[in-house]
Amino acid sequence: MEKIPILRMGDLLLVTIQVDLYDRLAETLESDLVLMIKKTGAQGVLIDISAVSIIDSFMGRIIGNIATMSKIMDAETVVVGMQPAVAITLVELGLPLNGVLSALNVERGMELLKGKIALKGASFEDDEDGYPE
Amino acid sequence: MKNQSIKVLQGKKKHVLETWMKFQLSDESLREDLMSNEELRIQSEELLDAFLTNLKDDTIDDPKSSAFEAVVDILSGISISRAKQGFTPRETGIYIFSLKDALLNILQQEIKDPQELYVQSLKINKLIDSFGVVTFETFIKGREEVILRQTDEISEISTPVIRVWDGILALPIIGTLDSSRTQVVMESLLQEIVETGSSIAILDISGVPAVDSLVAQHLIKTVSATRLMGAECIISGIRPEIAQTVVHLGIDLSQVITKSSLASALRAAFQMLQLTVVKKQRVQSITE
Amino acid sequence: MTIVREIDVIPFRNRLKEIAIKIGMSLVNQTKIITAASELARNMLKYANGGNVTIEVVSKGRENGVRLVFVDEGPGIKDISLAMKDGYSTGKSLGLGLPGTKRLVSEFQIESEVGKGTKVTVTKWKNG
């Protein structure tokens, strides 16, 4: 079965969605990602959707879910590279993804995540190792 | 037996053309500035050709017959191009109705029997009248096309996205904001955000005459879409009366960053980008 | 086209995109109609175990558009006006499917009979 790869970069997880999503693929990504956060103790998740041309309510919900789930596992999620047409469609659909952080491109997304993590690190100084295996 | 008027007209084609041209050229409203006489002649000849070739016993009473499709095509083409070139409906009308005059003129000369002349004239009359209707229909269609194109142009030029600073875009909205306009605004703004990699967009609504709940909804949509892209959106140019109506209508703009003027929006944008604007202190720098 | 499995949605979306491009629809409107189609196809799969969809190009005056007709033989919808309300769902989705879809298209029509099935017709004009 098709799967979307999740890359690990330091304490960040990187997901690049290169294919058009369908429901089961999105659901698999959700569960894979949550497992991966647990396994690696990642502090941030970056999802690059610049190649995605369609996001409907189901996939929008999955993205929202991922953000909320990783939040309660103490990882920030940033969605980067949304195409203008997709953004307009989501808003028209009534799904502004309020709880999800977004950035223009991967570079900005990284900056944003690092900023957020640094902020967290400042308040909990010994939290660097994340969860034990 | 071949219909008499058909025979007459087809035989006298050259004569018909000459008469028609004469009528056209003698009309006061002839627009030599828009079309040369030579062009006019070619156009007229082509139309007359198509008309006479297809004028047959079985088609003379039936302007909708498929045999006249070629005529209607040529006529529509002429009519649309005239509409675009700026001819008036009157001028275009005269063009086709002067053909009727020419045809009837020839019939009058050739057919001696008054009864027959009457019948034939009526037939030609009817035929050309129905072509006249086609002319006007297509003429108006041509005009509509011009109007549509201009509407497109207006909506395009009325939403300029300005790059005011590295990473800061401004979009002054002038005029009413309806849903199709909002779509254009959103599209051009988001596209520009992607192209310039800007992280802040300022929507200035000083030029929007009134903000009702629908306009506010459009603004909120634009802000949401900008945020989805990963940029922040500031709305500026909130005049006192706009603030009043917004509150009276119970519109919630609390999720949106609003500023009263473009200047204060720009200041807010600088702050977000952690930029400061300072006055040059030349004297000090020389003395120190 | 028949849609009985989730994977059938992908060729359907691609076909729709091709047609939308062919009539010169703008990218934003393409995205809107495909997203709407995706919502409706999911509904059909979820509530009626699939169904049939036809794509046709329609024109009104000088305006071209795409019309999609979704027909299923599922349980039908009891209260259409309730189903069209934002945030209402019998499944556990966000309840944006039908009302959201309506906002994305130019024309929206729904007919349903309990026990017989549902027919949804949506049209998106090139510039609308």
Side-chain angles (χ1 to χ4, degrees):
Chain A
M1 193 183 139
E2 222 178 337
K3 254 185 186 220
I4 293 167
I6 301 169
L7 307 178
R8 184 182 172 177
M9 262 182 81
D11 48 8
L12 301 180
L13 294 181
L14 196 67
V15 181
T16 307
I17 304 174
Q18 297 279 13
V19 290
D20 264 337
L21 282 175
Y22 52 93
D23 297 4
R24 195 156 319 137
L25 196 60
E27 277 173 332
T28 318
L29 176 67
E30 180 190 291
S31 51
D32 282 358
L33 203 53
V34 180
L35 274 177
M36 208 49 180
I37 295 173
K38 165 88 176 106
K39 213 162 82 186
T40 60
Q43 308 243 349
V45 178
L46 189 131
I47 307 177
D48 176 14
I49 55 165
S50 54
V52 177
S53 58
I54 299 293
I55 295 181
D56 65 9
S57 68
F58 186 86
M59 300 166 218
R61 182 161 65 121
I62 296 280
I63 292 176
N65 284 354
I66 291 177
T68 321
M69 289 171 188
S70 39
K71 186 101 187 171
I72 49 179
M73 295 183 70
D74 199 26
E76 294 286 342
T77 305
V78 175
V79 171
V80 304
M82 185 182 290
Q83 288 181 15
V86 173
I88 293 174
T89 305
L90 276 180
V91 168
E92 211 68 60
L93 195 62
L95 202 72
L97 295 179
N98 279 330
V100 184
L101 291 172
S102 50
L104 271 183
N105 50 40
V106 177
E107 206 184 330
R108 296 278 178 83
M110 286 286 193
E111 273 169 34
L112 188 63
L113 270 182
K114 281 185 181 145
K116 287 266 171 194
I117 294 169
L119 219 65
K120 244 184 349 192
S123 42
F124 301 99
E125 287 200 348
D126 55 352
D127 197 24
E128 277 172 17
D129 295 334
Y131 293 87
E133 287 283 340
Chain B
M1 191 197 87
K2 209 169 183 182
N3 188 310
Q4 203 182 347
S5 59
I6 297 173
K7 208 166 67 197
V8 169
L9 291 175
Q10 275 168 351
K12 292 267 178 184
K13 188 167 128 193
K14 225 182 153 62
H15 199 132
V16 175
L17 182 64
E18 289 316 318
T19 321
W20 186 19
M21 287 311 292
K22 204 175 77 204
F23 282 142
Q24 287 191 59
L25 296 179
S26 64
D27 195 275
E28 280 170 17
S29 60
L30 181 75
R31 297 291 294 267
E32 281 175 74
D33 53 333
L34 292 179
M35 190 185 270
S36 73
N37 290 345
E38 193 51 38
E39 262 179 276
L40 185 62
R41 194 188 180 84
I42 294 169
Q43 207 178 59
S44 307
E45 196 169 357
E46 188 190 10
L47 180 65
L48 189 63
D49 235 14
F51 173 63
L52 290 180
T53 327
N54 290 306
L55 191 64
K56 306 225 171 71
D57 279 347
D58 53 337
T59 58
I60 191 163
D61 294 318
D62 180 17
K64 287 196 178 66
S65 123
S66 57
F68 284 127
E69 259 170 27
V71 182
V72 172
D73 273 355
I74 295 174
L75 206 52
S76 310
I78 292 175
S79 192
I80 284 185
S81 75
R82 280 181 170 233
K84 285 183 184 158
Q85 282 166 336
F87 279 88
T88 64
R90 181 195 168 82
E91 286 149 9
T92 311
I94 283 173
Y95 171 72
I96 182 74
F97 289 122
S98 60
L99 169 62
K100 183 161 82 179
D101 291 343
L103 293 170
L104 293 180
N105 198 300
I106 304 293
L107 287 183
Q108 219 160 19
Q109 288 171 19
E110 299 295 324
I111 304 177
K112 297 301 173 211
D113 176 19
Q115 177 79 26
E116 183 64 20
L117 178 62
Y118 176 73
V119 171
Q120 296 303 335
S121 303
L122 210 59
K123 284 186 175 183
I124 293 294
N125 231 325
K126 262 194 172 158
L127 199 56
I128 301 292
D129 279 352
S130 74
F131 287 148
V133 172
V134 171
T135 314
F136 281 116
E137 270 175 5
T138 44
F139 184 84
I140 288 171
K141 222 185 259 172
R143 275 294 170 88
E144 270 170 5
E145 248 165 52
V146 174
I147 293 170
L148 276 179
R149 206 191 57 227
Q150 284 170 343
T151 316
D152 281 353
E153 259 165 39
I154 289 173
S155 60
E156 222 162 86
I157 54 174
S158 61
T159 50
V161 185
I162 306 158
R163 200 169 162 182
V164 283
W165 202 267
D166 201 24
I168 304 173
L169 296 177
L171 200 158
I173 302 175
I174 293 157
T176 321
L177 200 60
D178 58 10
S179 63
S180 67
R181 185 93 186 280
T182 310
Q183 171 118 10
V184 177
V185 167
M186 270 204 242
E187 265 186 77
S188 47
L189 181 63
L190 299 193
Q191 198 55 50
E192 200 64 21
I193 286 176
V194 174
E195 269 161 33
T196 59
S198 300
S199 46
I200 294 170
I202 303 171
L203 276 182
D204 188 81
I205 58 166
S206 352
V208 177
V211 175
D212 56 13
S213 51
L214 208 62
V215 173
Q217 210 182 19
H218 291 321
L219 287 173
I220 292 171
K221 270 185 192 168
T222 312
V223 173
S224 302
T226 319
R227 286 194 182 144
L228 274 175
M229 303 275 306
E232 190 48 77
C233 192
I234 303 172
I235 294 183
S236 74
I238 313 262
R239 283 176 278 124
E241 62 268 31
I242 289 184
Q244 278 178 313
T245 41
V246 163
V247 172
H248 285 158
L249 290 171
I251 300 163
D252 181 20
L253 286 181
S254 60
Q255 299 299 308
V256 182
I257 307 172
T258 50
K259 297 283 168 206
S260 62
S261 69
L262 185 62
S264 50
L266 195 58
R267 203 174 306 133
F270 281 151
Q271 228 160 48
M272 285 183 210
L273 293 179
Q274 290 162 340
L275 295 170
T276 39
V277 180
V278 284
K279 200 171 215 163
K280 238 185 185 172
Q281 290 185 319
R282 198 191 290 164
V283 184
Q284 230 175 21
S285 61
I286 293 173
T287 50
E288 277 171 17
Chain C
M1 291 173 87
T2 347
I3 293 179
V4 285
R5 287 169 307 153
E6 205 184 280
I7 205 89
D8 295 337
V9 177
I10 298 215
F12 162 60
R13 285 203 306 225
N14 292 341
R15 179 95 190 92
L16 179 58
K17 190 175 179 91
E18 269 170 37
I19 292 170
I21 290 173
K22 209 161 74 191
I23 66 164
M25 199 180 261
S26 74
L27 181 64
V28 173
N29 282 343
Q30 275 174 39
T31 311
K32 284 186 178 175
I33 181 71
I34 299 172
T35 308
S38 184
E39 297 285 343
L40 292 172
R42 172 172 315 100
N43 276 351
M44 215 159 66
L45 283 169
K46 197 160 137 197
Y47 297 107
N49 289 319
N52 221 314
V53 56
T54 47
I55 311 174
E56 56 175 333
V57 175
V58 286
S59 52
K60 183 178 72 180
R62 65 194 59 246
E63 185 79 308
N64 282 332
V66 183
R67 177 168 297 156
L68 302 173
V69 185
F70 292 81
V71 182
D72 69 53
E73 291 170 359
I77 300 169
K78 234 188 237 152
D79 187 345
I80 291 184
S81 57
L82 193 59
M84 291 306 295
K85 229 181 235 157
D86 255 328
Y88 175 81
S89 172
T90 53
K92 35 178 191 168
S93 67
L94 294 173
L96 287 170
L98 287 179
T101 304
K102 192 177 175 189
R103 283 192 292 268
L104 293 178
V105 297
S106 323
E107 285 163 29
F108 185 98
Q109 255 183 345
I110 182 164
E111 297 156 39
S112 185
E113 205 176 317
V114 174
K116 287 262 176 70
T118 306
K119 179 180 173 189
V120 182
T121 310
V122 293
T123 311
K124 181 82 189 167
W125 300 110
K126 203 170 92 183
N127 304 306

